[in-house]
Amino acid sequence: MMALPLVPYTIIKLCRAAKKKAKSLHCECAISNFSTWSNMTLVLLWVIMAFLVYYIKNMSAEAQVFEPFNILGLEPGASDSEIKKAYRRLSIQYHPDKNPDPEANKYFVEYISKAYQALTDPISRENYEKYGHPDGRQGFQMGIALPQFLLNIEGASGGILLIWIVGICILLPLVIAVIYLSKSAKYSGNYVMHQTLLAYYHLMKPSLAPSKNIKQEQAKFLKQHPPLVKTQLLIQAHLTRETAGLPPTLNGDLKRVLELAPRLLEELMKMALIPRTAQGHGWLRPAIGVVELSQCVIQAVPLSAKKAGGGSTEGIAPFLQLPHFSEAVTKKIARKKVRTFEELREMTQQERTDLLSQVAGFSAAEVEDVERVLEIMPSLSMEVKCETEGEEGIQEGDIVTVQAWIKLQRPNGLIGALPHAPYYPNHKDENFWFLLADQNSNNVWFSQKVNFMDEATALTTASKAIEEMMEVSGASARETSAAVREAVEKVKGGSRLVMGKFQAPAEGNYSMTCFCLCDSWIGCDTKTGLKVKILKRTRAGTRGGVITEEGPLLEDGAEEEEEVEDEEYDDDYESEYSEDEQDEQDTKKGTTANGDAHRKNKQSSSEGSESEDE
């Protein structure tokens, strides 16, 4: 019975360990988690299991089945004369008067004599037939010690027994179920309390810009919630990597806070994306802020390091997630015209080795650690399109289908991998968020969480979505099969399909932005522009809409219906997705309208052709 749960659990633990070992990064700063309570408990259970197996084996050797015919060397059903002849023959060989060996004497008394007695004496024969041994019942019996009056079903004791059965078999399971359901009702599917989600919802604001009285409001809030002061200080110590001097008690509290952080941040992300407007849109800037906070928590990088400067919109934060890097190292390599993290990644391995060894003063082992991290860092590219199924163009009120293929590539060839996070003490999978948003209005039209770890689920989801889309479009079985095969190949090649629907807003031209944000790595996010033109609702049969490849499609006299909301960011922290940056990019780069948008490594790949514009 003990092996039933122990063996499957051990197999699951070994598979997870092998999977994690294959995907994790093994460098000098890697953390070993073998000496955990679960692993030590598992080893202890296997030791107990081995002892029980050894004990049972010895017990089974002692408790052998008594077979009188085999002992006498006869076939079952032998006659009395054959039994007597066999007994006399064995007596000559094992009788104490004939054989002085003590073992022979023991065998003759315990086996030969009892076997002959079991087959000739009527009482011994009856015991053998009933209990399998001429001496009667052997071994031991197991039972439940109950009072004798409970076993008497006559009179009042029958009612007592009925009460016991009802209490143990019915009432006790019901009480346990009620307690479990009452406690589970307080938590969401991600094991976060609904009270916490309610606080997130009310405290969430549409902008990251602080109010004028932010210090007074923060002091008042922390005064009303004293435990949050301790949590905030612990997180700040983790972000600044100053946890070495913490006492054991606070260190344990910090590990608990970091263990809960990914779940809490994911629910906070959902609260930012929950429909807030009449059109069912969420908020963009809080969502980006939550993802950036998650990146800093996993990599133990302060938020102030993400402040734009030195030609980089992300500051020095991406460099600090590399082993042996510090602010001083980033300043040294910046003198050699390597100011952004993307420039460092685009260098050849030999160029990076020369730069880090000669300029930063890294040893060969330190350079190797940096290369291992760079090999596992993901690079994202996107192909996005919005359309109305079965129609040309998009009219106001239509159900628009957004389809995006997000491809992940790594220099080492892996698709799913664990992030390099030596300062984060727990297991953490990479998660990505796809957002289709309007930066001008701060609205998120569509969002979906993307994971590259589970390929089987991605294959099933992509195949089913493509098949349904082809059936709606009226494609033949051959075309559907070809489209499904193409989708399967894309998924196996490291792509994930994101599909969803949203209702088209009022007539107008919308400058949308597609984001793909990683919650574990800094500097791996990507975004691309997408122009969407919504036509005025007309009668059936008069639908129209031209898909072009460059520039916004504006009709004569058409007015922009978007309101630009100016927001000020904190001096110590500025998001990399600021409105000023987007406005500057819109003036320099053209994007697609109601068509396809291709994006790779934060550089637009959709450039319009002059011949089509003419």
Side-chain angles (χ1 to χ4, degrees), residues 59 148 191 195 329 473 603 613:
M59 287 290 295
Q148 186 64 31
Y191 302 102
Q195 185 178 358
V329 174
S473 62
Q603 295 180 357
D613 292 341

Side-chain angles (χ1 to χ4, degrees), residues 292-412:
E292 291 178 349
L293 176 59
S294 176
Q295 295 172 355
C296 292
V297 170
I298 299 302
Q299 296 297 337
V301 173
L303 290 170
S304 58
K306 292 182 69 68
K307 185 178 180 180
S312 174
T313 59
E314 300 172 343
I316 64 173
F319 293 98
L320 297 181
Q321 65 187 341
L322 297 177
H324 318 296
F325 264 73
S326 62
E327 185 176 356
V329 174
T330 58
K331 290 181 179 180
K332 290 180 181 179
I333 64 176
R335 300 191 186 102
K336 297 298 181 179
K337 306 301 181 182
V338 182
R339 296 185 175 89
T340 65
F341 187 68
E342 194 64 29
E343 292 175 351
L344 181 67
R345 294 187 66 183
E346 291 177 353
M347 297 175 66
T348 63
Q349 183 175 355
Q350 185 61 40
E351 292 175 346
R352 278 195 302 269
T353 301
D354 295 340
L355 176 69
L356 297 178
S357 58
Q358 298 176 7
V359 178
F362 283 8
S363 64
E366 293 173 340
V367 172
E368 185 179 358
D369 286 345
V370 174
E371 290 296 332
R372 288 181 179 180
V373 176
L374 292 175
E375 286 180 358
I376 205 172
M377 291 191 68
S379 178
L380 301 171
S381 59
M382 289 191 298
E383 298 178 5
V384 189
K385 66 178 181 180
C386 294
E387 61 183 4
T388 304
E389 295 181 356
E391 301 289 350
E392 294 183 359
I394 302 175
Q395 293 186 3
E396 54 185 3
D398 284 350
I399 302 300
V400 183
T401 300
V402 54
Q403 176 180 331
W405 280 101
I406 304 175
K407 186 172 183 178
L408 182 145
Q409 293 177 313
R410 305 179 197 269
N412 61 1

Side-chain angles (χ1 to χ4, degrees), residues 66-107:
F66 185 79
E67 295 289 346
F69 288 103
N70 293 337
I71 294 173
L72 296 178
L74 300 173
E75 294 293 334
S79 61
D80 294 341
S81 59
E82 292 175 343
I83 294 173
K84 293 178 180 181
K85 290 180 181 179
Y87 176 70
R88 286 195 295 268
R89 184 180 69 255
L90 294 175
S91 297
I92 296 174
Q93 183 178 356
Y94 293 100
H95 196 276
D97 296 338
K98 304 293 183 180
N99 191 342
D101 188 3
E103 293 294 331
N105 184 17
K106 180 179 179 181
Y107 183 74

Side-chain angles (χ1 to χ4, degrees), residues 281 384-403 436 445-446 469 498-506 510 512 530-535 537 543 593-595:
H281 297 159
V384 189
K385 66 178 181 180
C386 294
E387 61 183 4
T388 304
E389 295 181 356
E391 301 289 350
E392 294 183 359
I394 302 175
Q395 293 186 3
E396 54 185 3
D398 284 350
I399 302 300
V400 183
T401 300
V402 54
Q403 176 180 331
L436 176 63
W445 290 19
F446 173 77
M469 185 180 65
V498 175
M499 287 193 68
K501 298 179 184 295
F502 63 89
Q503 188 174 11
Y510 297 86
M512 309 300 297
L530 181 68
K531 295 289 185 179
V532 179
K533 180 179 181 180
I534 308 298
L535 304 176
R537 168 62 65 182
R543 299 178 61 86
N594 293 5

Side-chain angles (χ1 to χ4, degrees), residues 5-71:
L6 185 58
V7 173
Y9 180 72
T10 304
I11 294 175
I12 293 174
K13 291 281 289 185
L14 292 176
C15 293
R16 288 179 179 176
K19 189 176 181 181
K20 182 177 179 180
K21 182 178 179 180
K23 296 175 181 176
S24 61
L25 178 67
H26 300 283
C27 63
E28 294 180 357
C29 47
I31 298 177
S32 176
N33 291 326
F34 175 77
S35 299
T36 59
W37 284 110
S38 61
N39 292 339
M40 298 304 294
T41 303
L42 186 62
V43 172
L44 179 61
L45 290 176
W46 272 109
V47 172
I48 297 175
M49 183 73 179
F51 174 76
L52 291 177
V53 170
Y54 176 77
Y55 180 76
I56 293 173
K57 183 179 180 181
N58 292 339
M59 287 290 295
S60 61
E62 296 176 0
Q64 297 179 354
V65 179
F66 185 79
E67 295 289 346
F69 288 103
N70 293 337
I71 294 173

Side-chain angles (χ1 to χ4, degrees), residues 592-604:
T592 61
N594 293 5
D596 301 339
H598 305 274
R599 186 71 170 183
K600 183 177 181 179
N601 297 333
K602 298 185 180 180
Q603 295 180 357
S604 176

Side-chain angles (χ1 to χ4, degrees), residues 527-566:
K527 64 179 180 178
T528 182
L530 181 68
K531 295 289 185 179
V532 179
K533 180 179 181 180
I534 308 298
L535 304 176
K536 186 178 181 180
R537 168 62 65 182
T538 60
R539 294 183 179 179
T542 60
R543 299 178 61 86
V546 180
I547 300 177
T548 63
E549 294 186 0
E550 182 180 11
L553 300 180
L554 295 176
E555 298 178 355
D556 296 337
E559 296 180 357
E560 288 288 339
E561 299 183 2
E562 303 155 348
E563 297 180 358
V564 180
E565 180 182 354
D566 297 330

